[in-house]
Amino acid sequence: MIYCGIVGALNPLGQRVINFLKGKTDTYRIVFYVDEGYKINSLTAATYASAEAALSFNQSPTVLIDCDEPTTALERAKVYRFYAVPAIMCCSCKSDELDTVSRVYGVQEVPSPSILTVPDFSVSNTRLMAFFLRDGSRHISDIDRLEIEVHLPANKKLNIGVWVGWARMFNAIYGTDRANVSVKGCTCYCGKVIIKVVTDEALPSNGEEIDIRLFYGSKEHLCFTFMKTFCENLVDDCLNGIEKLLEWFAVNPDEISAGKVFANHLNTVLYADKKNLP
């Protein structure tokens, strides 16, 4: 039995994860819910305004599933390490910051178990970006830029932390992962990556389309690789990613107890699944 704490319990993905876990009672139990929307910490209702509050009440989940904002995930990761609990989380911080969390914030007397971090819970986005991370590494000498167009329905806002996380991973190939992030209108600039947001009235309410172009070659004769993906329900696609991470968590107890902070781990899990296909 895996006992779960849910962080970001009131947002759409958190709600979807909760419904999924409640439908798998032979495997999962929810021991507490965490969200800023819970103004009062309640031991009886198992609802808390922060993960630190939940953990300080001696709640002891097998794993924390963090569905909260990626751009503030670093501070929560420090809390998880301090209280020696494993977590699955979306984190857009820099690689050296995660390394610091791994080395410094574990409790020495009680070894802190592993944290599985991803830039994105979406399976389709992870597969797409994994291709461009590999393709980009083949053009180190003549790379120009990576353009990402995120098409969203009119009622949705871009979760910029997710795409900044991917941008930093791409920039790390070229040693520019410390590049500043700037936003001008509907466009975000991060090193060699340009992220554009496009509103598309034809998309379903939870849909998303990603168009990516990798430009390389000489300035006079640029070539590009183009690929796109369409996701009809991004929340369900992110739930699929969390399911795969939970499955890996359940069958790799030795890896979890080793205490490593795993980066971009959904890509690792998906690649391992592909290798094991008959």
Side-chain angles (χ1 to χ4, degrees):
M1 182 65 65
I2 296 177
Y3 296 92
C4 304
I6 309 298
V7 181
L10 296 181
N11 68 36
L13 179 57
Q15 288 290 298
R16 189 71 181 84
V17 170
I18 289 168
N19 291 337
F20 165 75
L21 296 177
K22 286 183 175 179
K24 302 281 187 177
T25 54
D26 55 332
T27 307
Y28 303 104
R29 292 283 191 278
I30 302 174
V31 295
F32 62 75
Y33 308 86
V34 173
D35 199 281
E36 290 182 355
Y38 300 125
K39 300 302 182 183
I40 300 174
N41 297 319
S42 172
L43 186 61
T44 55
T47 54
Y48 302 90
S50 70
E52 188 163 19
L55 296 170
S56 65
F57 274 95
N58 296 316
Q59 301 282 357
S60 54
T62 311
V63 62
L64 284 168
I65 304 172
D66 189 321
C67 304
D68 218 335
E69 173 58 45
T71 54
T72 56
L74 178 62
E75 293 308 311
R76 296 193 302 278
K78 294 175 183 178
V79 172
Y80 304 156
R81 295 294 280 186
F82 182 81
Y83 283 94
V85 292
I88 293 169
M89 65 191 309
C90 193
C91 188
S92 64
C93 64
K94 298 175 183 177
S95 57
D96 59 337
E97 293 173 327
L98 278 180
D99 185 56
T100 300
V101 170
S102 178
R103 291 183 292 105
V104 176
Y105 287 92
V107 180
Q108 293 182 358
E109 294 78 11
V110 182
S112 293
S114 294
I115 294 177
L116 312 183
T117 70
V118 296
D120 197 334
F121 283 130
S122 165
V123 171
S124 59
N125 289 349
T126 298
R127 286 175 173 151
L128 183 65
M129 286 305 301
F131 170 83
F132 280 99
L133 289 170
R134 290 192 301 271
D135 201 35
S137 67
R138 291 194 286 265
H139 295 284
I140 289 179
S141 61
D142 63 350
I143 196 75
D144 184 77
R145 67 190 184 276
L146 183 73
E147 290 187 357
I148 302 172
E149 278 193 7
V150 184
H151 296 249
L152 297 173
N155 63 321
K156 293 291 183 181
K157 291 183 179 180
L158 178 68
N159 190 337
I160 192 63
V162 165
W163 290 102
V164 167
W166 283 121
R168 283 177 173 152
M169 291 187 65
F170 186 85
N171 282 314
I173 298 171
Y174 309 96
T176 57
D177 52 323
R178 292 179 175 272
N180 291 329
V181 177
S182 63
V183 179
K184 296 180 181 179
C186 296
T187 304
C188 175
Y189 300 87
C190 181
K192 293 183 177 292
V193 181
I194 302 171
I195 305 161
K196 300 178 181 179
V197 184
V198 179
T199 299
D200 189 340
E201 299 282 353
L203 285 173
S205 59
N206 288 315
E208 181 184 77
E209 180 185 307
I210 308 298
D211 299 350
I212 300 184
R213 289 175 175 84
L214 176 68
F215 291 86
Y216 51 89
S218 67
K219 293 291 184 182
E220 296 77 17
H221 300 95
L222 279 180
C223 303
F224 69 87
T225 300
F226 172 72
M227 194 174 290
K228 69 188 298 182
T229 184
F230 168 71
C231 181
E232 187 170 3
N233 191 315
L234 183 61
V235 174
D236 283 349
D237 195 45
C238 288
L239 174 65
N240 187 17
I242 291 174
E243 285 184 61
K244 292 185 180 300
L245 288 168
L246 280 171
E247 290 168 3
W248 187 93
F249 178 93
V251 298
N252 289 277
D254 292 340
E255 294 276 9
I256 298 300
S257 62
K260 180 181 176 182
V261 175
F262 292 88
N264 195 19
H265 198 59
L266 180 56
N267 180 48
T268 302
V269 172
L270 292 173
Y271 182 68
D273 284 348
K274 184 177 180 180
K275 287 199 301 183
N276 293 329
L277 288 175

